[in-house]
Amino acid sequence: MPESQGSVPELFFLKYKGVLSPWEIILQAKRLGFKCKKYANWSEVHATSDSKQILKTVGDSLIDSEEFDIAYYPELSQIWEKVQRWAKDKDGFSLEPDLLPEYEKLARMADVGSKTPNVVDLMIDEFGFSCDSIEIDDRWVVFLSICIHNFFHSKKRYEYALNLVPGVVINKDQPEVFVESVGNFLTTLYLTAGFDTSSFSSKEVIPYFISELGLASEPVTVKREAEKKVTSLPKVWVERYEGTQLELVKFEYSNGDIFVRVNKANRVFSQGSELGLLLSSDAYWTLVGKAIETNISQIDEIQDFYNTFARHLRSTT
């Protein structure tokens, strides 16, 4: 997964585990209200100088009337994000909270699609549209619309939001209607978080939403390579995460995919050494992932090898 450019607070609930959506706050009003009152006295997790009073106000409102002023939502999201950081690093709050699996998948698809237009075409065709009938300049927003649709249909958690608007229209002969439906859904979703994006057209709000999640909202290239037609999605995914300095890499196998998660906080990456440059290369880790793919029964042994490698690495850096 590419390194995020940073998400806006009102969308943290779509990125991080443990950050609640606006509707989840109401559903858990009294429990969240008491937590707000507790966190009001916990200055380490405050986002701004106003956090203490906001937490008291929100807490009282949730406990007394089960009501929530959506204007406070971005501040509350930042506070809950810091609480998740505390759970991972109680001293420095330096480690990013755990990412939601559906966010990770969306990030992967946006990244690979932005760099590999043939993947964009594959996704469009597999979804039921015909990319040959869609202008090249329009394919990216159709691709993003498909990714967003798949994201919100991946978990029951998002049923509340999906029920706020009529069902997304999927007609294989009308991709533009599908794009408009997804755009209308996002406009409604933003309203639940207290933001009005109705000034954007459907085609505009879709990449805007992706960019606010900190993901690739524009293609790096749109040039198709006829001789390299893609027939399947990648099986090896190289991602970055923030771990302790003792960690280097984690390998995971899931549903036929190999995930190579490289710890960007390892100090080898900040020293500019030849070894650091090699280990920061996606090409290197992709090769490792492909080797694991053909030796999947030995993934635990390969993980043990790189854990030992990381220990030796610490003694040389």
Side-chain angles (χ1 to χ4, degrees):
M1 187 174 61
E3 289 195 41
S4 169
Q5 299 302 307
S7 306
V8 295
E10 62 268 22
L11 299 183
F12 279 172
F13 76 98
L14 299 175
K15 181 176 183 178
Y16 296 126
K17 294 179 181 179
V19 179
L20 298 181
S21 65
W23 58 87
E24 288 169 326
I25 291 174
I26 296 298
L27 288 173
Q28 304 175 43
K30 291 194 181 297
R31 186 178 73 84
L32 264 295
F34 286 113
K35 280 198 170 186
C36 286
K37 303 278 278 185
K38 172 185 174 182
Y39 294 161
N41 297 315
W42 188 8
S43 61
E44 288 84 357
V45 300
H46 291 175
T48 70
S49 58
D50 297 325
S51 292
K52 183 173 184 175
Q53 185 56 52
I54 287 173
L55 285 165
K56 287 181 177 179
T57 301
V58 171
D60 287 339
S61 179
L62 289 173
I63 294 168
D64 296 340
S65 59
E66 298 189 2
E67 293 180 351
F68 174 56
D69 187 341
I70 198 65
Y72 296 132
Y73 184 65
E75 180 98 11
L76 216 62
S77 292
Q78 292 178 77
I79 293 167
W80 250 255
E81 189 262 0
K82 293 193 74 173
V83 171
Q84 301 308 310
R85 284 182 177 271
W86 176 85
K88 298 185 74 173
D89 177 12
K90 293 177 173 55
D91 297 319
F93 291 78
S94 63
L95 301 181
E96 187 177 25
D98 291 338
L99 299 174
L100 292 165
E102 59 268 30
Y103 174 87
E104 291 185 297
K105 185 173 183 178
L106 178 62
R108 292 182 204 115
M109 294 311 305
D111 183 53
V112 73
S114 71
K115 297 172 182 175
T116 315
N118 295 56
V119 167
V120 170
D121 295 349
L122 174 66
M123 282 280 290
I124 290 172
D125 285 338
E126 286 191 343
F127 193 72
F129 299 129
S130 171
C131 70
D132 290 337
S133 67
I134 302 172
E135 295 291 335
I136 286 179
D137 289 345
D138 293 331
R139 292 181 192 177
W140 175 249
V141 74
V142 175
F143 166 77
L144 288 183
S145 299
I146 293 169
C147 292
I148 292 168
H149 175 272
N150 291 343
F151 176 95
F152 283 101
H153 285 81
S154 66
K155 294 288 173 64
K156 288 185 177 180
R157 180 191 186 202
Y158 305 115
E159 285 182 355
Y160 174 89
L162 291 171
N163 290 333
L164 292 174
V165 294
V168 172
V169 178
I170 303 176
N171 184 322
K172 65 179 182 180
D173 298 320
Q174 295 182 306
E176 69 281 357
V177 175
F178 172 69
V179 169
E180 184 176 0
S181 295
V182 173
N184 291 340
F185 164 73
L186 291 178
T187 298
T188 303
L189 180 74
Y190 267 110
L191 286 175
T192 69
F195 289 85
D196 184 3
T197 58
S198 59
S199 61
F200 292 104
S201 69
S202 296
K203 288 183 67 173
E204 291 171 335
V205 75
I206 288 167
Y208 177 75
F209 170 76
I210 293 293
S211 69
E212 291 222 310
L213 282 174
L215 305 179
S217 61
E218 298 293 338
V220 174
T221 178
V222 296
K223 184 179 179 181
R224 270 70 178 167
E225 299 184 45
E227 70 280 5
K228 294 184 179 180
K229 185 175 178 62
V230 174
T231 58
S232 62
L233 294 174
K235 293 296 183 183
V236 175
W237 303 90
V238 178
E239 304 177 350
R240 299 293 188 278
Y241 77 101
E242 292 181 4
T244 69
Q245 295 220 345
L246 303 179
E247 301 169 340
L248 176 62
V249 63
K250 297 177 181 178
F251 303 114
E252 180 184 339
Y253 175 78
S254 178
N255 297 322
D257 290 334
I258 306 294
F259 301 103
V260 181
R261 307 183 195 276
V262 183
N263 175 24
K264 61 185 178 181
N266 191 293
R267 62 184 180 184
V268 72
F269 299 119
S270 62
Q271 296 179 335
S273 65
E274 289 186 26
L275 189 55
L277 291 174
L278 172 65
L279 295 175
S280 65
S281 166
D282 279 10
Y284 170 80
W285 291 114
T286 299
L287 287 174
V288 172
K290 288 183 178 297
I292 293 174
E293 187 179 11
T294 55
N295 296 274
I296 193 61
S297 63
Q298 296 177 287
I299 188 171
D300 291 337
E301 288 81 357
I302 296 171
Q303 181 69 70
D304 289 341
F305 170 83
Y306 272 95
N307 290 345
T308 303
F309 179 86
R311 290 196 293 272
H312 288 291
L313 185 64
R314 290 196 298 275
S315 66
T316 61
T317 57

